[in-house]
Amino acid sequence: MESFEVISNTRKIYSEMLKDIREAKSYIYLETYIYGKDKIGEAFRNALIKKVKEGVVVKVLIDAWGSRVDKDFFKKLINLGGEVQFFREIRYVFRILSKNHERNHRKLLIIDGEISYIGSVNIIDLNWRELVIKIKEDITPIFAKTFLKNWNESGKITKKRLNSIAHKGFEILRDVPSEISKLTNRRYIQLIKKAKKDVLIETPYFIPTRKIRKAFAGAIKRGVKIKIIIPKISDVDVINLVRNRYLGIVYQAGVDIYYYKKSNLHSKLLIIDDKYFLLGSSNLDYRSFIYQYEINLLGEDSKIVTELKRHFYETLRYSELFNYKKWKERSSFKKILELFLLVIRKYL
C-alpha cells in the first residue's frame, strides 16, 4: 500500500479528519462508539452541517450506549438532510443482559470513496494515545460497503454472520457478537502461531482468552519474544481488577508486560515479526471478542509494518516493565475480588 499514514496523536487525528471532511465532495460516512458532547464533538458536527449545506451526503452511526449525545445535539444537521442513527437504542429492557449487551464498537470514517480512517479513536475530547491508519487507496470503497451494511443493520436484532473481506493482501475483519465464531480472536491465534521472531501487542484492556494464552506459551517455547503494552491504569476500573488476575500468569510464562505511563493507552495493535499486522477497534479481551461489533484491518504490507513498529517502540519509550514481585504481594482481598469479577465478567 503506497498511500497511507499512521497517526497516534489525537489532536493530529482530529485535525486530519476535519480537514478531509471539509474537502469532501460526494459523501461522508462516520461510525463511532463514543461521540462526546464537547468541543471535538461540536467541531465535527459543525463541519458536517456545512457539508450537508453544500449537498454532500452525510451519514453518522453512533452506538446508543457509548454515546454522550442525543438526536437533539444533531437537530440542525438532521433538519438540513443529514442522517444520524443510534445503534441498538436501549429498547429491549427485558433483554438488558443479552442483546443490549452487544454494542457497536467500530470506528470508521470514509470520505468520497477515496479516504478511509480505521483505528481506535472515538469522537471525544480525550488526549489519549491512539492508533489510526489513514488510507488513500482502492480499499476505501470496501470500507464504505461495510459501513452501509452496518448502517442497514443498526437497529435490528437479526441472525448474524461473520463477514471477512479479502482485498489485495488485506483482510477486513467485520466481527459480530458470537460466543462460538470469534473471528478476530481466531486471527490473533493464527498469527501468533505463525510468529518466528517477535509478537508485539498494544491493548487498553487485557483479558486474554485461554486459547490466546496457550498460543503465547507455544510461541515462547519456539523462542519468540512477546512484548505487550497496556495502560498503567486504564479508564475502566473493573477491567483493571480483572486483568490483574492474568498479568503474573502470562509474565511467568515468559511474556514481557509494560505499563504505558504518559497518558491513557487506547491503541489496539498486533504485529507479528516484520510481516503481519492487525489493527482496528478490537481490544484483547472477552468483551471485544464475544459481545461487540468490531472492525479491524489485517495485512502483511512491509511499509505499514515498518511504520507500526516505529509507533510501538515509541510507545515503549514511555513505558515501565511490569513488577512481578509487587503483583505477588497484592492483598488477599484484591485476589478474592479479582476471582469474583472473573466469574461474573460476562455480566459486566
Side-chain angles (χ1 to χ4, degrees):
M1 188 178 288
E2 294 297 327
S3 187
F4 72 91
E5 184 179 5
V6 172
I7 318 173
S8 306
N9 181 278
T10 50
R11 296 293 170 252
K12 186 175 181 185
I13 293 168
Y14 296 140
S15 176
E16 287 283 314
M17 285 180 165
L18 287 167
K19 176 179 72 68
D20 290 329
I21 286 171
R22 291 175 186 128
E23 293 174 359
K25 300 292 188 291
S26 177
Y27 68 80
I28 301 164
Y29 300 155
L30 174 63
E31 183 170 11
T32 186
Y33 175 61
I34 298 173
Y35 195 112
K37 196 171 185 178
D38 52 36
K39 64 181 182 181
I40 295 298
E42 289 172 358
F44 274 80
R45 180 195 59 187
N46 295 341
L48 294 172
I49 286 171
K50 186 176 179 184
K51 298 316 292 186
V52 169
K53 288 179 179 178
E54 295 172 7
V56 173
V57 173
V58 172
K59 294 181 185 291
V60 180
L61 179 56
I62 305 169
D63 186 76
W65 183 275
S67 173
R68 307 290 195 269
V69 295
D70 55 23
K71 285 195 174 178
D72 283 344
F73 181 82
F74 294 103
K75 187 175 181 180
K76 186 173 181 180
L77 176 67
I78 294 167
N79 289 343
L80 288 166
E83 297 180 79
V84 179
Q85 283 193 44
F86 287 82
F87 182 92
R88 193 70 61 75
E89 292 183 83
I90 311 300
R91 293 177 295 206
Y92 308 95
V93 177
F94 65 96
R95 304 175 81 177
I96 192 69
L97 293 179
S98 56
K99 296 303 177 185
N100 281 332
H101 203 50
E102 299 171 356
R103 307 314 316 171
N104 183 6
H105 195 243
R106 296 166 178 154
K107 290 99 174 167
L108 278 177
L109 173 63
I110 304 112
I111 298 168
D112 292 346
E114 296 175 357
I115 301 170
S116 48
Y117 290 81
I118 180 172
S120 64
V121 75
N122 292 291
I123 307 303
I124 187 169
D125 188 17
L126 293 171
N127 190 23
W128 290 353
R129 184 159 179 80
E130 302 280 2
L131 178 60
V132 166
I133 185 167
K134 174 184 175 180
I135 303 169
K136 288 185 179 180
E137 294 279 349
D138 60 359
I139 198 171
T140 296
I142 309 298
F143 280 121
K145 287 180 182 178
T146 67
F147 171 87
L148 290 172
K149 189 168 179 59
N150 300 349
W151 177 269
N152 292 330
E153 294 173 351
S154 69
K156 302 172 184 175
I157 293 177
T158 59
K159 288 184 178 180
K160 300 172 287 293
R161 296 173 297 171
L162 292 174
N163 191 358
S164 168
I165 305 168
H167 179 81
K168 296 182 180 179
F170 296 91
E171 187 178 7
I172 296 172
L173 308 177
R174 185 178 176 271
D175 255 336
V176 298
S178 172
E179 296 210 29
I180 301 169
S181 301
K182 302 181 281 288
L183 180 58
T184 300
N185 185 56
R186 290 208 316 270
R187 292 293 184 270
Y188 251 87
I189 293 164
Q190 289 164 0
L191 290 169
I192 293 166
K193 286 181 176 179
K194 286 183 179 181
K196 294 181 174 63
K197 186 178 65 171
D198 54 35
V199 173
L200 308 177
I201 294 172
E202 287 183 20
T203 182
Y205 314 119
F206 180 67
I207 307 177
T209 62
R210 181 184 61 82
K211 288 184 178 179
I212 285 181
R213 299 197 306 274
K214 187 177 178 182
F216 285 161
I220 289 163
K221 284 180 182 177
R222 299 194 307 272
V224 175
K225 302 294 184 184
I226 302 178
K227 290 183 170 65
I228 298 174
I229 308 177
I230 59 177
K232 183 150 189 170
I233 301 174
S234 83
D235 61 306
V236 182
D237 292 337
V238 171
I239 297 296
N240 292 328
L241 284 166
V242 177
R243 80 176 188 187
N244 213 31
R245 182 85 184 168
Y246 296 101
L247 296 182
I249 296 169
V250 296
Y251 179 83
Q252 274 194 306
V255 176
D256 291 332
I257 304 168
Y258 296 87
Y259 289 131
Y260 182 69
K261 301 184 296 179
K262 197 172 182 182
S263 63
N264 188 39
L265 178 72
H266 194 245
S267 55
K268 302 97 166 37
L269 175 64
L270 170 69
I271 304 173
I272 303 294
D273 300 332
D274 294 310
K275 191 170 185 182
Y276 302 101
F277 73 89
L278 192 158
L279 63 82
S281 64
S282 286
N283 302 306
L284 209 169
D285 76 347
Y286 68 94
R287 184 180 292 275
S288 266
F289 293 149
I290 296 175
Y291 293 124
Q292 294 185 333
Y293 293 79
E294 305 279 7
I295 191 158
N296 300 284
L297 181 64
L298 166 62
E300 49 180 307
D301 185 289
S302 61
K303 291 181 180 178
I304 293 178
V305 170
T306 297
E307 289 303 309
L308 290 173
K309 281 195 138 180
R310 185 175 289 117
H311 158 90
F312 180 88
Y313 284 106
E314 176 69 15
T315 308
L316 196 62
R317 279 182 59 201
Y318 297 97
S319 304
E320 66 182 20
L321 192 62
F322 166 75
N323 188 323
Y324 178 72
K325 184 175 180 292
K326 188 174 180 181
W327 178 83
K328 281 193 72 176
E329 292 171 351
R330 68 199 191 284
S331 69
S332 297
F333 174 75
K334 274 195 173 182
K335 292 176 185 177
I336 294 168
L337 185 57
E338 290 164 12
L339 187 58
F340 172 71
L341 291 172
L342 190 64
V343 171
I344 67 165
R345 68 188 185 280
K346 288 188 177 182
Y347 307 102
L348 298 174

